[in-house]
Amino acid sequence: GNPAKPLFRSSERFEEMAKEKGVEITEIMWLLGEHDVFCIAEAENDQTVTALLLQAGSLGFLTTSTSRAFTRNEMEDIVKQMN
């Protein structure tokens, strides 16, 4: 069989799980190097994304490294709070 099928099945299952939790996966990219996959997700809050990652991790098909990104407007609001 095609060795890539399990790879795509895992990402499809992850996207289904995300949708069930109200998380929008805007991009999934496969990487060369230290990490295998890069995913951009949007959710109402960080806790929702964390719950999704914990659930997916408990099923054994991924481990995660999470970074929180900020838009320019969000970063400007954060900087304003410094004063």
Coordinates of all heavy atoms in Angstrom, one line a residue:
G1 N 0.8 -1.2 0.0 CA 0.0 0.0 0.0 C 0.9 1.3 0.0 O 2.1 1.2 0.1
N2 N 0.2 2.4 0.0 CA 0.8 3.7 -0.1 C 1.3 4.0 1.4 O 0.5 4.1 2.3 CB -0.1 4.7 -0.6 CG 0.5 6.1 -0.7 OD1 1.5 6.4 -0.1 ND2 -0.2 6.9 -1.5
P3 N 2.6 4.2 1.6 CA 3.1 4.5 2.9 C 2.7 5.9 3.4 O 2.7 6.2 4.6 CB 4.6 4.5 2.7 CG 4.9 4.7 1.3 CD 3.7 4.2 0.6
A4 N 2.2 6.8 2.5 CA 1.8 8.1 3.0 C 0.3 8.1 3.5 O 0.0 9.0 4.2 CB 1.8 9.1 1.8
K5 N -0.4 7.1 3.3 CA -1.8 7.0 3.7 C -2.0 7.2 5.2 O -2.8 8.0 5.7 CB -2.5 5.8 3.2 CG -2.9 5.9 1.8 CD -3.8 4.6 1.4 CE -4.1 4.7 -0.1 NZ -4.9 3.6 -0.5
P6 N -1.2 6.5 6.1 CA -1.3 6.7 7.5 C -1.0 8.2 7.9 O -1.6 8.7 8.8 CB -0.4 5.8 8.1 CG -0.2 4.7 7.1 CD -0.3 5.4 5.8
L7 N 0.0 8.8 7.2 CA 0.4 10.2 7.5 C -0.8 11.1 7.3 O -1.2 11.9 8.1 CB 1.5 10.5 6.6 CG 2.0 12.0 6.6 CD1 2.9 12.2 7.8 CD2 2.9 12.2 5.3
F8 N -1.5 10.9 6.2 CA -2.7 11.8 5.9 C -3.9 11.4 6.8 O -4.6 12.3 7.2 CB -3.0 11.7 4.4 CG -1.9 12.2 3.5 CD1 -1.4 11.5 2.5 CD2 -1.4 13.5 3.7 CE1 -0.4 11.9 1.7 CE2 -0.4 14.0 2.9 CZ 0.2 13.2 1.9
R9 N -4.0 10.2 7.1 CA -5.2 9.8 8.0 C -5.0 10.4 9.3 O -6.0 10.9 9.9 CB -5.2 8.3 8.1 CG -6.1 7.6 7.0 CD -6.5 6.2 7.4 NE -5.3 5.3 7.7 CZ -4.8 4.6 6.7 NH1 -5.3 4.6 5.5 NH2 -3.8 3.8 7.0
S10 N -3.8 10.5 9.9 CA -3.5 11.1 11.2 C -3.9 12.6 11.1 O -4.5 13.1 12.0 CB -2.1 11.0 11.6 OG -1.8 9.6 11.9
S11 N -3.5 13.3 10.1 CA -3.8 14.7 10.0 C -5.3 14.9 9.8 O -5.9 15.9 10.4 CB -3.0 15.4 8.9 OG -3.4 15.0 7.6
E12 N -5.9 14.1 9.0 CA -7.4 14.2 8.8 C -8.1 14.0 10.2 O -9.1 14.7 10.5 CB -7.9 13.2 7.8 CG -7.4 13.6 6.4 CD -7.5 12.5 5.4 OE1 -8.0 11.4 5.7 OE2 -7.2 12.7 4.2
R13 N -7.7 13.0 10.9 CA -8.3 12.7 12.2 C -8.1 13.9 13.2 O -9.0 14.3 13.9 CB -7.8 11.4 12.8 CG -8.3 11.1 14.2 CD -9.8 10.9 14.2 NE -10.3 10.7 15.5 CZ -11.3 11.4 16.0 NH1 -11.9 12.4 15.3 NH2 -11.7 11.3 17.3
F14 N -6.9 14.5 13.2 CA -6.6 15.6 14.0 C -7.5 16.8 13.6 O -8.1 17.5 14.5 CB -5.1 16.0 13.9 CG -4.8 17.2 14.7 CD1 -4.7 17.1 16.1 CD2 -4.5 18.4 14.1 CE1 -4.3 18.2 16.9 CE2 -4.2 19.5 14.9 CZ -4.1 19.4 16.3
E15 N -7.7 17.0 12.3 CA -8.6 18.1 11.9 C -10.0 17.9 12.3 O -10.7 18.8 12.7 CB -8.5 18.3 10.4 CG -7.2 18.9 9.9 CD -7.1 19.1 8.4 OE1 -6.7 18.1 7.7 OE2 -7.4 20.2 8.0
E16 N -10.5 16.6 12.3 CA -11.8 16.3 12.8 C -12.0 16.5 14.3 O -13.0 17.1 14.7 CB -12.1 14.8 12.5 CG -12.3 14.4 11.0 CD -12.3 12.9 10.8 OE1 -12.3 12.1 11.8 OE2 -12.3 12.5 9.6
M17 N -11.0 16.1 15.0 CA -11.0 16.4 16.5 C -11.0 17.9 16.7 O -11.7 18.4 17.6 CB -9.7 15.8 17.1 CG -9.8 14.3 17.2 SD -8.2 13.6 17.7 CE -7.9 14.4 19.3
A18 N -10.2 18.7 16.0 CA -10.2 20.1 16.2 C -11.6 20.7 15.9 O -12.0 21.5 16.7 CB -9.1 20.7 15.2
K19 N -12.2 20.3 14.8 CA -13.5 20.8 14.5 C -14.5 20.5 15.6 O -15.3 21.4 15.9 CB -13.9 20.2 13.1 CG -15.2 20.8 12.6 CD -15.5 20.3 11.2 CE -16.8 21.0 10.6 NZ -17.1 20.5 9.3
E20 N -14.4 19.3 16.1 CA -15.3 19.0 17.2 C -15.2 19.9 18.4 O -16.1 20.1 19.2 CB -15.1 17.5 17.6 CG -15.5 16.5 16.6 CD -15.0 15.1 16.9 OE1 -14.4 14.9 18.0 OE2 -15.2 14.2 16.0
K21 N -14.0 20.4 18.6 CA -13.7 21.2 19.8 C -13.8 22.7 19.4 O -13.6 23.6 20.3 CB -12.3 21.0 20.3 CG -12.1 19.6 20.9 CD -11.1 19.7 22.1 CE -11.0 18.5 22.8 NZ -12.3 18.0 23.4
G22 N -14.2 23.0 18.2 CA -14.3 24.4 17.8 C -13.0 25.1 17.5 O -12.9 26.3 17.5
V23 N -12.0 24.3 17.1 CA -10.7 24.8 16.7 C -10.6 24.8 15.2 O -10.9 23.7 14.6 CB -9.5 24.0 17.4 CG1 -8.2 24.5 16.9 CG2 -9.6 24.1 18.9
E24 N -10.2 25.9 14.6 CA -10.1 25.9 13.2 C -8.6 25.7 12.8 O -7.7 26.5 13.2 CB -10.5 27.3 12.6 CG -10.4 27.4 11.1 CD -10.7 28.7 10.5 OE1 -11.1 29.6 11.3 OE2 -10.5 28.9 9.3
I25 N -8.3 24.7 12.0 CA -7.0 24.4 11.5 C -6.9 25.2 10.2 O -7.6 24.8 9.2 CB -6.7 22.9 11.3 CG1 -7.0 22.1 12.6 CG2 -5.3 22.7 10.8 CD1 -6.1 22.5 13.8
T26 N -6.1 26.2 10.2 CA -6.0 27.0 9.0 C -4.9 26.5 8.0 O -4.9 26.8 6.9 CB -5.7 28.5 9.3 OG1 -4.5 28.6 10.1 CG2 -6.9 29.1 10.1
E27 N -3.9 25.7 8.6 CA -2.8 25.2 7.8 C -2.2 24.1 8.5 O -1.9 24.1 9.7 CB -1.8 26.3 7.5 CG -0.8 26.0 6.4 CD -1.4 26.0 5.0 OE1 -1.8 27.1 4.6 OE2 -1.3 24.9 4.4
I28 N -1.9 23.0 7.7 CA -1.0 21.9 8.1 C 0.1 21.8 7.1 O -0.2 21.7 5.9 CB -1.7 20.6 8.3 CG1 -2.7 20.7 9.5 CG2 -0.8 19.4 8.6 CD1 -3.5 19.4 9.7
M29 N 1.3 21.8 7.5 CA 2.5 21.6 6.6 C 3.4 20.6 7.2 O 3.6 20.5 8.4 CB 3.2 23.0 6.5 CG 2.4 24.1 5.8 SD 3.3 25.6 5.8 CE 2.7 26.3 7.3
W30 N 4.0 19.8 6.3 CA 4.9 18.8 6.7 C 6.3 19.3 6.5 O 6.6 20.1 5.6 CB 4.8 17.5 5.8 CG 3.5 16.7 6.2 CD1 3.5 15.7 7.1 CD2 2.2 17.0 5.9 NE1 2.2 15.2 7.3 CE2 1.4 16.0 6.6 CE3 1.5 17.9 5.1 CZ2 0.0 16.0 6.4 CZ3 0.2 17.9 5.0 CH2 -0.6 17.0 5.7
L31 N 7.2 19.0 7.5 CA 8.5 19.7 7.6 C 9.6 18.7 7.5 O 9.4 17.5 7.7 CB 8.7 20.3 9.0 CG 7.6 21.3 9.4 CD1 7.8 21.8 10.9 CD2 7.5 22.5 8.5
L32 N 10.8 19.1 7.1 CA 12.0 18.4 7.2 C 12.8 19.0 8.3 O 12.9 20.2 8.5 CB 12.8 18.5 5.9 CG 12.1 18.1 4.6 CD1 13.0 18.4 3.4 CD2 11.8 16.6 4.6
G33 N 13.4 18.1 9.1 CA 14.2 18.6 10.3 C 13.7 18.1 11.6 O 13.1 17.0 11.7
E34 N 13.8 18.9 12.6 CA 13.5 18.4 14.0 C 12.1 18.0 14.2 O 11.7 17.1 14.9 CB 13.9 19.5 15.0 CG 13.7 19.2 16.4 CD 14.0 20.3 17.4 OE1 14.6 21.3 17.0 OE2 13.7 20.1 18.6
H35 N 11.2 18.8 13.6 CA 9.7 18.5 13.7 C 9.2 18.0 12.4 O 9.7 18.2 11.3 CB 9.0 19.8 14.1 CG 9.5 20.4 15.4 ND1 9.2 19.8 16.6 CD2 10.3 21.4 15.6 CE1 9.7 20.5 17.6 NE2 10.4 21.5 17.0
D36 N 8.1 17.2 12.5 CA 7.5 16.5 11.3 C 6.4 17.4 10.7 O 6.2 17.4 9.5 CB 6.9 15.2 11.7 CG 7.9 14.2 12.2 OD1 9.1 14.3 11.7 OD2 7.6 13.4 13.1
V37 N 5.6 18.1 11.6 CA 4.4 18.8 11.1 C 4.4 20.2 11.8 O 4.7 20.3 12.9 CB 3.1 18.0 11.4 CG1 1.9 18.8 10.9 CG2 3.2 16.6 10.7
F38 N 3.9 21.1 11.0 CA 3.6 22.5 11.5 C 2.2 22.8 11.3 O 1.7 22.6 10.2 CB 4.5 23.5 10.8 CG 4.3 24.9 11.2 CD1 4.8 25.4 12.4 CD2 3.5 25.8 10.5 CE1 4.6 26.7 12.8 CE2 3.3 27.1 10.8 CZ 3.8 27.6 12.0
C39 N 1.5 23.2 12.3 CA 0.0 23.4 12.2 C -0.3 24.8 12.7 O 0.2 25.3 13.8 CB -0.7 22.4 13.1 SG -2.4 22.6 13.2
I40 N -1.1 25.6 12.0 CA -1.6 26.8 12.4 C -3.1 26.6 12.8 O -3.9 26.1 11.9 CB -1.5 27.9 11.3 CG1 0.0 28.1 11.0 CG2 -2.1 29.2 11.8 CD1 0.3 29.1 9.8
A41 N -3.4 27.0 14.0 CA -4.8 26.8 14.5 C -5.3 28.1 15.1 O -4.5 28.8 15.7 CB -4.8 25.7 15.5
E42 N -6.6 28.2 15.0 CA -7.3 29.4 15.7 C -8.4 28.9 16.5 O -9.2 28.0 16.1 CB -7.8 30.4 14.7 CG -6.7 31.0 13.9 CD -7.2 32.1 12.9 OE1 -8.3 32.6 13.2 OE2 -6.5 32.4 12.0
A43 N -8.5 29.4 17.7 CA -9.6 29.0 18.7 C -10.0 30.2 19.5 O -9.3 31.2 19.5 CB -9.1 27.9 19.5
E44 N -11.1 30.0 20.2 CA -11.6 31.1 21.1 C -10.6 31.5 22.2 O -10.5 32.6 22.6 CB -12.9 30.6 21.7 CG -13.6 31.7 22.6 CD -14.9 31.2 23.1 OE1 -15.7 30.5 22.3 OE2 -15.2 31.5 24.2
N45 N -9.8 30.5 22.7 CA -8.8 30.7 23.7 C -7.8 29.6 23.7 O -7.9 28.6 23.0 CB -9.5 30.8 25.1 CG -10.4 29.6 25.4 OD1 -9.9 28.5 25.3 ND2 -11.6 29.8 25.7
D46 N -6.7 29.9 24.5 CA -5.6 29.0 24.5 C -6.0 27.6 25.2 O -5.4 26.6 24.8 CB -4.4 29.6 25.3 CG -3.8 30.8 24.6 OD1 -4.0 30.9 23.4 OD2 -3.1 31.6 25.2
Q47 N -6.9 27.7 26.1 CA -7.3 26.5 26.8 C -8.0 25.5 25.9 O -7.7 24.3 26.0 CB -8.3 26.8 28.0 CG -7.7 27.6 29.1 CD -7.7 29.1 28.9 OE1 -7.8 29.6 27.8 NE2 -7.4 29.9 29.9
T48 N -8.7 25.9 24.9 CA -9.4 25.0 24.0 C -8.3 24.3 23.1 O -8.4 23.1 22.9 CB -10.3 25.8 23.1 OG1 -11.3 26.5 23.9 CG2 -11.1 24.9 22.1
V49 N -7.3 25.1 22.6 CA -6.3 24.4 21.9 C -5.5 23.4 22.7 O -5.2 22.3 22.3 CB -5.3 25.5 21.3 CG1 -4.1 24.8 20.6 CG2 -6.1 26.4 20.3
T50 N -5.2 23.8 24.0 CA -4.5 22.9 24.9 C -5.3 21.6 25.1 O -4.7 20.5 25.1 CB -4.2 23.6 26.2 OG1 -3.4 24.8 25.9 CG2 -3.4 22.7 27.1
A51 N -6.6 21.7 25.3 CA -7.4 20.5 25.5 C -7.3 19.6 24.2 O -7.2 18.4 24.3 CB -8.8 20.9 25.8
L52 N -7.4 20.2 23.0 CA -7.2 19.5 21.8 C -5.9 18.8 21.7 O -5.8 17.6 21.4 CB -7.4 20.4 20.6 CG -7.0 19.8 19.2 CD1 -8.0 18.7 18.9 CD2 -7.0 20.9 18.1
L53 N -4.8 19.5 22.0 CA -3.5 18.8 22.0 C -3.3 17.7 23.0 O -2.7 16.7 22.7 CB -2.4 19.9 22.2 CG -2.3 21.0 21.0 CD1 -1.3 22.0 21.4 CD2 -2.0 20.3 19.7
L54 N -3.9 17.9 24.2 CA -3.8 16.9 25.2 C -4.6 15.6 24.8 O -4.1 14.5 24.9 CB -4.3 17.4 26.6 CG -3.4 18.4 27.3 CD1 -4.2 19.0 28.5 CD2 -2.1 17.7 27.7
Q55 N -5.8 15.9 24.2 CA -6.6 14.7 23.7 C -5.9 14.0 22.6 O -5.8 12.8 22.6 CB -7.9 15.2 23.2 CG -8.8 14.1 22.7 CD -10.2 14.6 22.2 OE1 -10.5 15.8 22.3 NE2 -10.9 13.7 21.6
A56 N -5.3 14.7 21.6 CA -4.6 14.1 20.5 C -3.4 13.4 21.0 O -3.1 12.2 20.6 CB -4.2 15.1 19.5
G57 N -2.7 13.9 22.0 CA -1.5 13.3 22.5 C -1.8 12.0 23.3 O -1.1 11.1 23.2
S58 N -3.0 12.0 24.0 CA -3.3 10.9 24.7 C -3.7 9.7 23.8 O -3.6 8.5 24.3 CB -4.5 11.2 25.6 OG -5.7 11.3 24.9
L59 N -4.0 10.0 22.6 CA -4.2 8.9 21.6 C -2.9 8.3 21.0 O -3.0 7.3 20.3 CB -5.1 9.4 20.5 CG -6.5 9.9 20.9 CD1 -7.3 10.5 19.7 CD2 -7.3 8.7 21.5
G60 N -1.9 9.0 21.3 CA -0.5 8.5 20.9 C -0.1 8.8 19.6 O 1.0 8.3 19.1
F61 N -0.8 9.6 18.8 CA -0.3 9.8 17.5 C 0.5 11.2 17.3 O 0.8 11.5 16.2 CB -1.3 9.6 16.4 CG -2.5 10.6 16.4 CD1 -2.4 11.8 15.8 CD2 -3.7 10.2 16.9 CE1 -3.4 12.7 15.7 CE2 -4.8 11.1 16.9 CZ -4.6 12.3 16.3
L62 N 0.7 11.9 18.4 CA 1.5 13.1 18.3 C 2.1 13.5 19.6 O 1.6 13.1 20.6 CB 0.7 14.2 17.6 CG -0.4 14.8 18.4 CD1 0.0 15.9 19.4 CD2 -1.4 15.4 17.4
T63 N 3.2 14.2 19.5 CA 3.8 14.9 20.6 C 3.8 16.4 20.1 O 3.8 16.6 18.9 CB 5.2 14.4 21.0 OG1 6.0 14.6 19.9 CG2 5.1 13.0 21.5
T64 N 3.8 17.3 21.0 CA 3.7 18.7 20.6 C 4.8 19.6 21.2 O 5.4 19.3 22.2 CB 2.3 19.3 21.1 OG1 2.3 19.4 22.5 CG2 1.2 18.5 20.5
S65 N 5.0 20.7 20.5 CA 5.7 21.8 20.9 C 4.9 23.0 20.5 O 4.6 23.2 19.3 CB 7.1 21.8 20.2 OG 7.8 23.0 20.5
T66 N 4.4 23.8 21.4 CA 3.5 24.8 21.2 C 4.1 26.2 21.3 O 4.8 26.4 22.3 CB 2.3 24.7 22.1 OG1 1.8 23.4 22.0 CG2 1.2 25.7 21.8
S67 N 3.8 27.1 20.4 CA 4.2 28.5 20.5 C 3.0 29.3 20.3 O 2.1 29.0 19.5 CB 5.2 28.8 19.4 OG 6.4 28.1 19.5
R68 N 2.9 30.4 21.1 CA 1.8 31.3 21.0 C 2.3 32.5 20.1 O 3.4 33.1 20.4 CB 1.4 31.8 22.4 CG 0.4 33.0 22.4 CD -0.9 32.6 21.8 NE -1.9 33.5 22.2 CZ -2.3 34.6 21.5 NH1 -1.7 34.9 20.3 NH2 -3.3 35.4 21.9
A69 N 1.6 32.8 19.0 CA 2.0 33.9 18.1 C 1.0 35.0 18.3 O -0.1 34.8 18.7 CB 2.0 33.4 16.7
F70 N 1.5 36.2 18.1 CA 0.7 37.4 18.2 C 0.8 38.2 16.9 O 1.8 38.3 16.3 CB 1.3 38.3 19.3 CG 1.3 37.7 20.7 CD1 2.4 37.1 21.2 CD2 0.1 37.7 21.5 CE1 2.4 36.4 22.4 CE2 0.2 37.1 22.7 CZ 1.3 36.5 23.2
T71 N -0.4 38.8 16.5 CA -0.4 39.7 15.4 C 0.2 41.0 15.8 O 0.4 41.3 17.0 CB -1.9 39.9 15.0 OG1 -2.6 40.6 16.0 CG2 -2.6 38.6 14.6
R72 N 0.4 41.8 14.8 CA 1.0 43.2 15.1 C 0.1 43.9 16.1 O 0.5 44.5 17.0 CB 1.2 43.9 13.8 CG 1.8 45.3 14.1 CD 2.0 46.1 12.8 NE 2.6 47.4 13.2 CZ 3.9 47.7 13.1 NH1 4.7 46.8 12.7 NH2 4.3 48.9 13.4
N73 N -1.2 43.9 15.8 CA -2.2 44.6 16.7 C -2.1 44.1 18.1 O -2.2 44.9 19.1 CB -3.6 44.6 16.1 CG -3.7 45.4 14.9 OD1 -3.0 46.4 14.6 ND2 -4.8 45.1 14.1
E74 N -2.1 42.8 18.2 CA -2.0 42.2 19.6 C -0.8 42.6 20.3 O -0.8 42.9 21.5 CB -2.1 40.7 19.5 CG -3.5 40.1 19.1 CD -3.5 38.6 18.8 OE1 -2.5 38.1 18.3 OE2 -4.5 38.0 19.1
M75 N 0.3 42.6 19.6 CA 1.6 43.0 20.2 C 1.6 44.4 20.6 O 2.2 44.8 21.6 CB 2.8 42.6 19.2 CG 4.1 42.5 19.8 SD 4.1 41.2 21.0 CE 5.4 41.7 22.1
E76 N 1.0 45.3 19.7 CA 0.9 46.7 20.1 C 0.1 46.9 21.4 O 0.5 47.7 22.2 CB 0.3 47.5 18.9 CG 1.2 47.7 17.8 CD 0.6 48.3 16.5 OE1 -0.7 48.5 16.5 OE2 1.3 48.7 15.6
D77 N -1.0 46.1 21.5 CA -1.7 46.2 22.8 C -0.9 45.7 24.0 O -1.0 46.3 25.1 CB -3.0 45.4 22.7 CG -4.0 46.0 21.7 OD1 -3.9 47.2 21.4 OD2 -4.9 45.2 21.3
I78 N -0.1 44.7 23.8 CA 0.7 44.2 24.9 C 1.8 45.2 25.3 O 2.0 45.5 26.5 CB 1.4 42.9 24.5 CG1 0.4 41.8 24.4 CG2 2.5 42.5 25.4 CD1 0.8 40.5 23.7
V79 N 2.4 45.9 24.3 CA 3.4 46.9 24.5 C 2.8 48.1 25.3 O 3.4 48.6 26.2 CB 4.1 47.3 23.2 CG1 5.0 48.5 23.4 CG2 4.9 46.1 22.7
K80 N 1.6 48.4 24.9 CA 0.9 49.5 25.6 C 0.7 49.2 27.1 O 0.8 50.2 27.9 CB -0.5 49.8 25.0 CG -0.4 50.5 23.7 CD -1.8 50.6 23.1 CE -1.8 51.1 21.7 NZ -3.1 51.2 21.1
Q81 N 0.6 48.0 27.5 CA 0.4 47.6 28.9 C 1.7 47.7 29.7 O 1.7 47.6 30.9 CB -0.1 46.2 29.0 CG -1.5 46.1 28.5 CD -2.1 44.7 28.5 OE1 -1.7 43.9 29.5 NE2 -2.9 44.3 27.6
M82 N 2.8 47.9 29.0 CA 4.1 48.0 29.7 C 4.3 49.3 30.5 O 5.0 49.3 31.4 CB 5.3 47.9 28.7 CG 5.4 46.5 28.0 SD 6.6 46.4 26.7 CE 8.1 47.0 27.5
N83 N 3.6 50.3 30.1 CA 3.7 51.6 30.7 C 2.6 51.8 31.8 O 1.6 51.3 31.8 CB 3.6 52.7 29.7 CG 4.7 52.6 28.7 OD1 5.8 52.2 29.0 ND2 4.4 53.0 27.5

